[in-house]
C-alpha cells in the first residue's frame, strides 16, 4: 500500500507547517505529515521550516533570535492570506492536536550543511530578476503607469516568473538564431541584458523591485535592435521602401509625438514631492514605499494628521515595514501620547531588532513615563551604536541613576564629559551620583564645574550647599545656599535649608527670617512650620512656637519631630 505523506501539511492549500495545514492534509486523506522544527531563543521546539520567519509570516527575524512568545504574536499566513488566525505551532501542540490523531507524524531532520535561508533568498532574487527584465522591456515600449518606486512584493506569482523566463529565453534564442543575418540583434539584446545586470536585483538594494532610472543605458540596446531592424527591413525591400517611406515618416512622427506627450505628463508628476508620491499610489498597487514617502513629506510640512493616515496605509500594505511604525510612534510622542507611542516603537523593533532610532525613541518614551528600567536596555543598544553621542550617554546615565544604579551611571557621565567637557547637565548629574556613592569631594568639584559654566544654576547651588554641609564645611555651605535662595527667591525649600544651616550656627534671628519667608511662600509646608516653631522655641518665644508646631501636625499628623517638640514644650497636640 502506498503511504501518502503531506509535505509541511497541505501546504498548497493552507499555510505550511501550521495546524490548519496538518488538519487539511488529514481531511484530504494523507497518512502522515512531514514537518520542520527549529529551536527558539528560549529553547522551545517550534514548527517552522526557514531559519527566519520573514517568508511565511507578517514578522521578521531569525527563529533563534526570537522567543516563543514573540513568534506567537505573528500571523503565519503570507502564502494563504485567507487563514487570518494561522500561527506557528510548537511540536507539543502538533502532537496534542486531537484532529491529527489519525495521522502518523514524521519529523524531518534538516541537513545543517544546506543553507536554506540562502537558497530561499536566491530563489526570490532570481524570480525578481526574470520578472524585472520583462517589466523593463514592457515599459520601454509602453511607458504607462510609471511610478517611483516600484516596491518589491517579496514573492512573485509563479505564472509571472515563468512568463518572464519564456520571454527572455525566446528572445535570446531568436537573436542567436538570426545572428548571422542580423548581428545587430545580438549586440542590442545582450547590451540590454548586460547593462541591467548590476541593477536587476541580484544584489538587493532597498525595498524596490525595479526603478525607471536604471533603464537609461540598457534602453540603448533595445533601440539598437529596433532602429537597425527597421533600417535592415527597408534596405532589403528597397522597392517597397519608397512607397512606404511617407507612411513610416508619419509613424515615426506619431511615436515621437506620443513620447513628447508622455514626457509632458511625467514632468507634471515631478513638480513636487506630494504630487509625485500621490501619482505613484494612484498607478501602482500596494506601493507601501510611496505611502511612507508621502507620509514623511506631510510630516515634514507639519501636516501630522494626514501623515499618520499615510504611515498607517504603509503599515497596512506592509506590516513588517519598520520606518512608518517608528514615525507613527514619533508623532504620538510629539503629542505627549507616550503610552500610545510605545507599541509602535516595539513593533518597529520586532521587524528590525537593530533599528537604533526606534530603540532611542522607545527609550525616550519610557523615560517620559518614568519607566527607567525599560528604557535602560534600549539606551544601551544606542550607546553601542553611537558611543560618542553625549545626549545618549547622558540619557543612559540619567536612567541608571533614576533606578538607583549610581555606580553604573558614573562611567557614562564621565564618558560624556570626555567628549564634551563643558556640559553643565553632565557635571550636575555626575555630582548627584557621586553624592549618592559617598564621594563628596568629587561631587563638590563637579558641582563647581557646572556652576562655573552656568553661575545662575540655582539647583546646583542648592545641592552644592547640601554636599558641603555634609562634609562639615558650613561656612561654604551657607554661601552656596544664600546664592541659591537669591537666584530663586520664591523657592520655599531653599529658604528652609538656608534657615537650617543658619540655625546650625546659632544665627537664630536670620534663620527665623528664612523660615518665615518659607511659610509665607508655602503655608501648607509642614516642614517650614516645624522648623519655624523649633527656632522660635530656641529663642524663648514659646507661644508662637507652639502655634507653628501644632500647624505642622495639623498639616501632617504623622510628623513625629513636631509631636516630640510639642511634648518638650509641655503643650498638648492639636485635637
Amino acid at each position: 500500500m502506498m503511504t501518502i505523506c503531506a509535505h509541511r501539511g497541505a501546504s498548497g492549500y493552507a499555510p505550511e507547517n501550521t495546524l490548519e495545514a496538518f488538519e487539511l492534509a488529514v481531511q484530504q486523506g494523507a497518512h502522515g505529515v512531514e514537518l520542520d522544527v527549529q529551536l527558539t531563543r528560549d529553547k522551545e521546539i517550534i514548527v517552522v521550516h526557514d531559519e527566519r520567519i520573514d517568508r511565511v509570516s507578517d514578522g521578521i527575524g531569525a527563529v533563534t533570535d526570537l522567543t516563543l512568545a514573540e513568534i506567537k504574536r505573528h500571523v503565519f499566513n503570507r502564502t494563504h492570506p485567507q487563514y487570518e488566525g494561522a500561527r506557528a505551532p510548537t511540536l507539543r501542540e502538533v502532537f496534542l492536536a486531537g484532529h491529527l490523531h489519525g495521522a502518523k507524524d514524521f519529523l524531518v531532520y534538516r541537513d545543517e550543511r544546506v543553507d536554506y535561508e540562502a537558497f530561499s533568498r536566491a530563489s526570490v532574487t532570481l524570480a525578481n530578476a526574470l520578472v524585472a527584465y520583462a517589466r523593463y522591456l514592457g515599459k520601454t515600449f509602453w511607458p504607462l503607469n510609471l511610478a517611483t518606486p516600484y516596491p518589491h512584493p517579496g514573492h512573485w506569482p509563479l505564472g509571472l516568473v515563468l512568463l518572464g523566463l519564456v520571454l527572455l529565453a525566446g528572445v535570446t534564442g531568436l537573436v542567436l538564431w538570426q545572428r548571422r543575418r542580423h548581428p545587430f540583434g545580438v549586440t542590442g539584446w545582450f547590451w540590454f541584458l548586460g547593462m541591467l545586470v548590476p541593477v536587476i536585483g541580484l544584489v538587493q538594494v532597498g525595498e524596490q523591485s525595479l526603478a525607471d532610472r536604471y533603464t537609461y543605458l540598457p534602453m540603448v540596446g533595445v533601440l539598437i535592435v529596433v532602429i537597425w531592424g527597421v533600417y535592415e527591413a527597408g534596405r532589403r525591400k528597397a522597392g517597397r521602401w519608397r512607397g512606404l517611406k511617407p507612411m513610416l515618416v508619419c509613424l515615426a512622427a506619431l511615436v515621437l509625438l506620443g513620447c513628447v506627450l508622455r514626457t509632458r505628463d511625467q514632468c507634471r508628476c515631478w513638480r513636487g514631492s506630494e504630487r509625485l508620491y500621490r501619482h505613484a499610489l494612484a498607478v501602482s498597487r500596494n506601493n507601501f514605499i510611496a505611502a511612507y514617502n508621502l507620509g514623511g513629506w506631510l510630516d515634514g510640512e507639519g501636516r501630522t494628521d494626514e501623515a499618520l493616515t499615510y504611515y498607517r496605509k504603509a503599515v497596512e500594505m506592509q506590516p513588517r515595514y519598520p520606518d512608518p511604525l517608528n514615525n507613527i510612534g514619533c508623532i504620538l510622542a510629539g503629542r505627549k501620547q507616550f503610552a500610545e507611542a510605545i507599541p509602535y516603537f516595539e513593533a518597529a523593533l520586532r521587524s528590525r531588532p537593530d533599528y537604533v532610532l526606534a530603540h532611542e525613541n522607545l527609550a525616550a518614551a519610557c523615560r517620559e513615563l518614568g519607566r527607567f528600567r525599560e528604557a535602560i536596555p534600549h539606551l544601551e543598544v544606542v550607546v553601542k551604536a553611537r558611543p560618542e553621542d553625549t545626549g545618549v550617554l547622558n540619557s543612559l546615565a540619567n536612567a541608571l541613576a533614576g533606578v538607583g544604579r549610581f555606580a553604573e551611571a558614573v562611567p557614562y557621565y564621565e564618558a560624556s564629559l570626555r567628549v564634551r567637557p563643558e556640559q553643565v547637565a553632565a557635571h550636575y548629574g555626575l555630582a548627584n551620583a557621586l553624592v549618592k556613592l559617598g564621594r563628596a569631594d568629587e561631587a563638590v568639584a563637579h558641582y563647581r564645574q557646572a556652576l562655573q559654566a552656568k553661575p545662575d544654576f540655582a539647583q546646583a547651588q542648592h545641592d552644592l550647599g547640601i554636599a558641603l554641609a555634609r562634609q562639615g564645611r558650613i561656612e561654604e555651605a551657607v554661601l552656596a545656599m544664600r546664592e541659591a535662595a537669591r537666584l530663586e527667591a520664591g523657592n520655599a525649600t531653599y529658604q528652609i535649608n538656608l534657615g537650617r544651616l543658619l540655625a546650625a550656627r546659632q544665627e537664630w534671628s536670620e534663620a527665623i527670617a528664612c523660615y518665615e519667608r518659607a511659610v509665607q511662600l508655602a503655608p501648607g509646608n509642614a516642614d517650614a512650620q516645624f522648623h519655624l516653631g523649633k527656632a522660635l522655641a530656641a529663642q524663648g518665644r514659646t507661644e508662637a512656637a507652639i502655634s507653628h508646631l501644632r500647624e505642622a501636625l495639623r498639616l501632617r499628623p504623622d510628623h513625629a519631630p513636631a509631636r516630640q517638640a510639642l511634648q518638650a514644650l509641655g503643650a498638648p497636640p492639636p485635637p
Side-chain angles (χ1 to χ4, degrees):
M1 174 182 173
M2 179 180 294
T3 299
I4 300 174
C5 182
H7 178 57
R8 304 179 200 166
S11 55
Y13 305 90
E16 65 179 57
N17 279 326
T18 61
L19 292 178
E20 289 83 353
F22 300 145
E23 178 182 5
L24 186 56
V26 173
Q27 292 174 358
Q28 291 177 345
H31 302 108
V33 294
E34 175 268 341
L35 50 82
D36 309 90
V37 294
Q38 304 267 359
L39 274 179
T40 65
R41 191 177 71 191
D42 48 353
K43 307 305 179 186
E44 295 287 343
I45 302 175
I46 195 162
V47 181
V48 176
H49 173 268
D50 298 356
E51 293 180 1
R52 297 178 64 85
I53 64 172
D54 308 35
R55 180 178 64 86
V56 290
S57 79
D58 62 357
I60 189 170
V63 175
T64 53
D65 291 339
L66 301 170
T67 65
L68 177 61
E70 290 170 335
I71 292 175
K72 286 288 190 179
R73 292 194 194 109
H74 299 293
V75 180
F76 281 67
N77 69 337
R78 287 201 70 190
T79 57
H80 296 82
Q82 66 271 30
Y83 286 84
E84 296 179 356
R87 295 289 193 276
T90 63
L91 188 58
R92 177 182 175 82
E93 289 170 343
V94 173
F95 285 144
L96 294 179
H99 49 265
L100 298 180
H101 286 169
K104 179 181 179 182
D105 296 313
F106 297 89
L107 296 182
V108 174
Y109 294 91
R110 301 173 66 202
D111 186 347
E112 295 302 326
R113 294 171 297 176
V114 178
D115 189 343
Y116 292 94
E117 184 180 351
F119 179 79
S120 177
R121 285 198 305 269
S123 64
V124 170
T125 298
L126 180 59
N128 184 70
L130 292 171
V131 173
Y133 269 119
R135 293 180 74 193
Y136 279 131
L137 197 59
K139 287 182 180 296
T140 298
F141 291 103
W142 196 251
L144 293 179
N145 294 337
L146 302 180
T148 176
Y150 302 95
H152 198 302
H155 295 271
W156 288 103
L158 181 59
L160 281 179
V161 177
L162 293 177
L163 185 62
L165 177 61
V166 169
L167 177 63
L168 288 183
V171 175
T172 302
L174 178 63
V175 298
L176 289 175
W177 177 47
Q178 293 289 320
R179 65 185 181 279
R180 294 188 183 277
R181 294 181 60 194
H182 307 297
F184 58 84
V186 175
T187 302
W189 180 245
F190 283 100
W191 175 296
F192 171 73
L193 295 181
M195 292 299 291
L196 277 175
V197 167
V199 294
I200 202 65
L202 297 176
V203 177
Q204 184 63 35
V205 178
E207 299 281 353
Q208 74 275 2
S209 60
L210 68 161
D212 294 334
R213 64 184 181 276
Y214 295 157
T215 63
Y216 300 154
L217 290 177
M219 195 184 296
V220 172
V222 177
L223 295 177
I224 287 173
V225 176
V226 172
I227 294 170
W228 263 258
V230 172
Y231 171 77
E232 186 69 14
R235 188 179 65 82
R236 288 179 180 275
K237 299 180 180 181
R240 294 185 182 180
W241 174 261
R242 293 186 182 89
L244 292 175
K245 187 174 181 180
M247 186 181 298
L248 290 174
V249 170
C250 290
L251 180 62
L254 287 174
V255 170
L256 288 174
L257 178 61
C259 290
V260 169
L261 293 175
R262 287 297 298 128
T263 301
R264 184 191 65 176
D265 290 342
Q266 283 301 115
C267 286
R268 288 174 179 169
C269 297
W270 285 85
R271 287 180 180 173
S273 297
E274 182 177 9
R275 179 177 293 190
L276 177 65
Y277 297 136
R278 288 191 187 278
H279 170 76
L281 285 170
V283 301
S284 57
R285 295 176 54 194
N286 293 325
N287 198 330
F288 59 92
I289 304 176
Y292 167 69
N293 288 342
L294 178 54
W297 185 86
L298 292 166
D299 198 355
E301 293 293 305
R303 295 157 61 180
T304 54
D305 287 335
E306 295 175 80
L308 275 176
T309 298
Y310 285 98
Y311 284 148
R312 287 182 169 131
K313 282 185 179 180
V315 172
E316 288 174 11
M317 296 175 190
Q318 175 53 280
R320 301 179 300 134
Y321 196 13
D323 294 320
L325 289 166
N326 177 71
N327 287 7
I328 291 171
C330 288
I331 290 177
L332 294 173
R335 297 175 176 180
K336 308 299 181 184
Q337 298 174 246
F338 301 109
E340 292 84 353
I342 283 175
Y344 287 99
F345 295 135
E346 291 174 336
L349 289 172
R350 284 196 296 272
S351 293
R352 192 195 302 168
D354 61 349
Y355 195 175
V356 174
L357 184 57
H359 279 289
E360 185 174 8
N361 292 332
L362 177 53
C366 288
R367 290 202 319 274
E368 291 290 342
L369 295 174
R371 292 156 57 175
F372 296 106
R373 293 186 190 280
E374 296 176 54
I376 288 169
H378 298 290
L379 287 169
E380 288 173 338
V381 172
V382 183
V383 165
K384 286 181 182 177
R386 306 204 301 265
E388 295 193 350
D389 187 324
T390 57
V392 178
L393 288 165
N394 291 338
S395 294
L396 177 53
N398 291 338
L400 289 165
V403 296
R405 293 161 61 179
F406 301 106
E408 296 173 67
V410 166
Y412 290 107
Y413 283 127
E414 292 175 336
S416 178
L417 289 168
R418 281 195 295 273
V419 178
R420 286 179 51 210
E422 73 283 0
Q423 295 177 86
V424 173
H427 278 296
Y428 178 68
L430 177 55
N432 289 338
L434 292 168
V435 165
K436 295 293 185 181
L437 295 172
R439 296 159 59 180
D441 288 338
E442 296 172 75
V444 166
H446 284 285
Y447 281 134
R448 293 196 187 282
Q449 285 181 275
L451 288 166
Q452 184 176 358
K454 188 179 180 182
D456 59 348
F457 191 174
Q459 185 67 53
Q461 291 282 7
H462 170 269
D463 294 347
L464 172 60
I466 297 294
L468 290 166
R470 287 175 179 169
Q471 290 183 295
R473 298 159 65 179
I474 302 299
E475 295 295 331
E476 295 175 76
V478 168
L479 290 175
M481 200 64 72
R482 283 188 193 278
E483 182 63 13
R486 184 190 68 79
L487 290 168
E488 287 190 21
N491 191 309
T493 300
Y494 296 174
Q495 296 291 343
I496 293 170
N497 288 334
L498 175 56
R500 293 177 66 185
L501 291 173
L502 293 167
R505 297 199 305 184
Q506 305 293 308
E507 297 178 14
W508 295 111
S509 296
E510 196 173 355
I512 288 171
C514 291
Y515 293 141
E516 287 176 338
R517 280 195 293 273
V519 168
Q520 184 179 8
L521 291 168
N525 189 316
D527 286 332
Q529 297 283 359
F530 164 70
H531 286 295
L532 178 54
K534 285 279 289 183
L536 290 168
Q539 287 287 86
R541 298 161 61 180
T542 305
E543 186 175 343
I546 290 172
S547 174
H548 287 288
L549 291 170
R550 282 178 171 167
E551 180 62 11
L553 274 175
R554 187 189 68 79
L555 293 169
R556 197 197 307 166
D558 62 345
H559 201 304
R563 190 174 299 276
Q564 292 169 2
L566 275 174
Q567 291 173 352
L569 293 173

